[in-house]
Amino acid sequence: MTGKKLTLQLDFHSGLPIYTQIVNQIQSQLVNGILKPGDQLPTVRALALELRVNFNTVARAYRILDEARIISTQQGRGTYITEIPPPEISEKLRRESLASLTQRFISEAFRLGFSEREVSQMVRDSLKLVLSRVEASRKEAADNDSK
Amino acid sequence: MTGKKLTLQLDFHSGLPIYTQIVNQIQSQLVNGILKPGDQLPTVRALALELRVNFNTVARAYRILDEARIISTQQGRGTYITEIPPPEISEKLRRESLASLTQRFISEAFRLGFSEREVSQMVRDSLKLVLSRVEASRKEAADNDSK
DNA sequence: TCCTTTATTGTACTAATTGTATCATTGTCA
DNA sequence: TGACAATGATACAATTAGTACAATAAAGGA
């Protein structure tokens, strides 16, 4: 059995869809620090059992949260809160998380024998590539909107 | 006990299956000379114990590498890096492994909400930091030699 | 030396756990 | 009553774990 215990209060007569209530409450627990990045959520079946709803309803909520990049669901593995630092964290913490991410990357690259020059060149190239892809998908979305 | 010590970094909620991460990292260590033809890898059980995964997960990774002719697994003997390095192990592959490492880093940073500017600045800073540390330890070694 | 036994190692097959996809059912509201 | 949204049922796919087995090597004794 996996996944953190999750205490949710559903109101079956509120008019709000169950999956919306699940989405909202997970989101608010994340904002309030009850859930933290990296936490594993209950499985769709376990949470469904506890809430006495169909597991597809939980799956739907999880899918919405996944599309919002709030959680990451992985078939056969489980679902996890993503590591995105909440927007309200301090700039200092934010920088630290980028610094540690970067240091992991660089030390791995060095361990693999790449030089400073190779690493910085590859970072430049990759950034360029990613940005051009972002640009392209933004354009595509605009096209879809206009048609 | 057999098999070279193997340093692998697993991320259990990266979305990538464990066996894929094992495959990728062994491949990149080979391409970059950390593993050499003829080296014996840890046994499926030993590596599994160290990584805290089921040994079948390691076996699956080894099977994939075996099918790619990168390693040779022999029942009752162990697992070895193939003596004849596949012809495609070349500068090209080496560059590709850096590219994929870099892309993982960048997409993670973007997912965390950092901008291109922040990422490239942090890479510059971190590289500088690492290089200065390398320099310092080289100097210290030289001092020790001379005394 | 040669045979037997035991330990080590990878393999095969199966089961369990987890999320996904699709369609059916239900309920509400215009 | 027809349309649509919400929920449920069922079958499926991906990942990992459990168990038994086969091949090889190493150890030990006749």
Side-chain angles (χ1 to χ4, degrees), chain A residues 49-95:
Chain A
L49 193 66
E50 183 175 317
L51 300 178
R52 321 246 182 154
V53 299
N54 187 272
F55 72 84
N56 285 297
T57 303
V58 176
R60 182 169 180 178
Y62 280 9
R63 198 177 69 233
I64 290 170
L65 289 164
D66 187 285
E67 281 163 1
R69 307 294 182 93
I70 290 170
I71 66 178
S72 158
T73 64
Q74 300 164 34
Q75 185 168 355
R77 307 270 305 276
T79 74
Y80 301 84
I81 303 282
T82 55
E83 303 285 352
I84 299 181
E88 71 271 16
I89 70 169
S90 72
E91 184 58 22
K92 177 164 170 293
L93 272 182
R94 192 163 171 278
R95 279 197 72 74

Side-chain angles (χ1 to χ4, degrees), chain B residues 88-106:
Chain B
E88 65 272 15
I89 291 183
S90 60
E91 184 56 26
K92 178 164 168 289
L93 253 194
R94 187 169 175 275
R95 279 196 72 71
E96 279 172 5
S97 86
L98 177 58
S100 102
L101 181 68
T102 306
Q103 273 158 29
R104 278 203 303 276
F105 160 65
I106 288 178

Side-chain angles (χ1 to χ4, degrees), chain B residues 43-59:
Chain B
T43 67
V44 290
R45 285 173 178 80
L47 184 54
L49 192 67
E50 183 175 318
L51 299 179
R52 320 240 184 156
V53 300
N54 187 274
F55 73 85
N56 283 300
T57 303
V58 177

